[in-house]
Amino acid sequence: MLGVVPTPSPSVSDAVAARLDLFLDRMRTESAEYGADAAAFLDAAADTLSGGKRLRARFCHAGWRAVARFRDRLAVEDDALWDVCAALEIFQSAALVHDDLIDNSDTRRGRPAAHRALEASHRSAGWSGDAAAFGRAGSVLLGDLLVAWSDDLLESALDGHSQARTVRAEYARMRRDVTTGQFLDIAEESAWSVSDDREHAERALRVASLKSARYSIEQPLILGASLAGADAEQTQALRRFGHPLGLAFQLRDDVLGVFGDAAVTGKPAGDDLREGKRTVLIALTRERLEAPARRVLDEMLGDPDLTASQVSFLQETIAATGALERVETMIADYAREADRALSGARLEDAAVGELRDLGRAATVRSS
């Protein structure tokens, strides 16, 4: 039974929102001379920062707390912490803008995706030219601007900080990993046809590790912990927790991309099927299908015009092979592995409890 992700902790979500507001005010002030069109561009970037579960910020905060309050139970959450958390949220918005463009997605969080919103603004302004092309080009630049903003805020947070070098190195690794993972994800949509069928699940897990497991959970945790001055033992414990939990998180995403309720996820039902995502769920399904049925699956995957009945057929096929059950078992196994990593770790007890709560929220969810 899928659950609902708990509402983000008000202290984390509110603090991050406050830092984002301060940063956006500064960006608007510094860009005021660029004119009305640039102001609208900045507003479009700001719009991408509203909503969401603030998952990365929450894990970053929890990583900081686990280390900082293990050493000093009165450690204070300062501006540097909240700015790093906010920088992560800006980078996530950049990733989503580019992801929606790559996947040709129309919606994000129940609203028009950034490229669709820019396309609509072109039309409503009565501008000449191809509105859709403008939306696509504008979203590339919008994502680039958000990446730059993320770097700007991170560097501001680390100015003069004793842990600047460690945090900066981890952040840079995160950017490289997720970008490489995103490329491997789109490459797999084409490369699967010349790859050994026995390697598909392993290749899909590699994508999950780079694109999501490290980026969504492990690296935000380590960024927060590093900011607090984590030692090697604490860092290793958090990595052993974060990476399997991140894999479980991505596998849950894969399940929701096929079986999720559009009213809850904010994305059309079966969106991953229309996009042709070669996930672990699909790899395990293909393993159990006879050649004729496998060919039908391969022909249907990636068809953007799949009807509701065709989506339903594919859902039933996946479930009938036992692939859904196998992925659910993998999610549970990864979650247990993550939980065990926290036992006996030199981390603050309350933070360990928070990490376990976040772990459940990341893997037992409906959106």
Side-chain angles (χ1 to χ4, degrees):
M1 177 72 69
L2 297 180
V4 177
V5 177
T7 302
S9 166
S11 62
V12 174
S13 58
D14 290 352
V16 170
R19 300 309 295 179
L20 287 173
D21 286 344
L22 286 173
F23 177 78
L24 290 171
D25 286 346
R26 178 159 67 87
M27 292 299 99
R28 288 187 172 107
T29 298
E30 292 180 4
S31 306
E33 64 183 285
Y34 301 159
D37 292 341
F41 183 51
L42 265 63
D43 286 343
D47 285 346
T48 70
L49 297 172
S50 64
K53 295 179 282 291
R54 304 295 189 206
L55 184 70
R56 288 152 193 84
R58 295 164 74 187
F59 274 108
C60 182
H61 173 266
W64 175 90
R65 177 179 170 181
V67 172
R69 291 189 177 161
F70 176 80
R71 294 180 173 181
D72 177 5
R73 65 185 180 87
L74 299 178
V76 176
E77 300 155 331
D78 59 12
D79 289 347
L81 169 63
W82 297 125
D83 280 349
V84 172
C85 288
L88 279 167
E89 291 300 315
I90 297 175
F91 187 84
Q92 168 65 357
S93 286
L96 293 179
V97 167
H98 284 159
D99 198 47
D100 286 341
L101 177 64
I102 290 168
D103 293 339
N104 200 31
S105 298
D106 292 328
T107 60
R108 168 64 61 181
R109 296 169 182 160
R111 298 177 297 176
H115 62 286
R116 295 303 186 199
L118 289 167
E119 177 183 339
S121 71
H122 179 286
R123 288 200 178 94
S124 64
W127 289 358
S128 61
D130 187 333
F134 173 83
R136 292 192 297 271
S139 68
V140 171
L141 298 171
L142 187 65
D144 290 348
L145 176 66
L146 287 162
V147 170
W149 278 2
S150 174
D151 286 348
D152 290 343
L153 189 51
L154 179 79
E155 289 304 318
S156 175
L158 297 180
D159 186 22
H161 198 284
S162 61
Q163 303 300 322
R165 183 175 181 179
T166 303
V167 174
R168 190 179 287 117
E170 187 70 25
Y171 204 84
R173 178 64 183 268
M174 178 195 76
R175 289 194 305 256
R176 295 194 301 271
D177 283 354
V178 72
T179 303
T180 302
Q182 181 69 50
F183 173 78
L184 292 178
D185 190 29
I186 63 171
E188 197 61 21
E189 292 173 24
S190 301
W192 67 269
S193 60
V194 295
S195 301
D196 189 323
D197 286 348
R198 294 168 297 182
E199 297 177 355
H200 284 197
E202 178 185 350
R203 291 167 66 94
L205 275 173
R206 184 184 301 124
V207 172
S209 175
L210 287 170
K211 183 184 175 184
S212 187
R214 297 183 190 178
Y215 164 63
S216 297
I217 295 177
E218 178 186 344
Q219 287 161 327
L221 268 176
I222 300 305
L223 285 166
S226 297
L227 198 68
D231 60 29
E233 181 184 342
Q234 291 169 319
T235 299
Q236 187 61 26
L238 290 171
R239 287 199 190 279
R240 288 198 304 267
F241 168 77
H243 191 255
L245 183 62
L247 287 171
F249 172 79
Q250 181 56 48
L251 291 176
R252 174 60 64 210
D253 252 15
D254 294 346
V255 170
L256 292 174
V258 174
F259 295 96
D261 182 347
V264 179
T265 65
K267 305 282 283 185
D271 219 28
D272 279 6
L273 300 173
R274 295 187 178 92
E275 292 167 11
K277 294 292 185 184
R278 292 284 164 172
T279 63
V280 174
L281 184 64
I282 295 301
L284 296 181
T285 298
R286 294 180 81 257
E287 287 179 3
R288 296 288 179 86
L289 290 176
E290 297 295 332
R294 191 184 307 133
R295 282 195 295 273
V296 171
L297 174 72
D298 289 338
E299 288 170 2
M300 295 179 71
L301 277 176
D303 181 354
D305 298 318
L306 284 178
T307 65
S309 62
Q310 288 174 315
V311 167
S312 179
F313 168 78
L314 288 173
Q315 290 172 332
E316 291 169 5
T317 298
I318 292 167
T321 65
L324 176 59
E325 184 178 355
R326 292 169 71 188
V327 169
E328 290 290 352
T329 298
M330 291 174 70
I331 292 171
D333 288 346
Y334 280 131
R336 280 193 294 270
E337 179 184 346
D339 191 70
R340 287 195 298 269
L342 296 176
S343 298
R346 294 172 46 253
L347 303 167
E348 189 218 18
D349 288 343
V352 168
E354 180 184 0
L355 287 170
R356 287 186 164 128
D357 288 344
L358 284 171
R360 284 188 287 273
T363 57
V364 184
R365 58 195 172 94
S366 56
S367 65

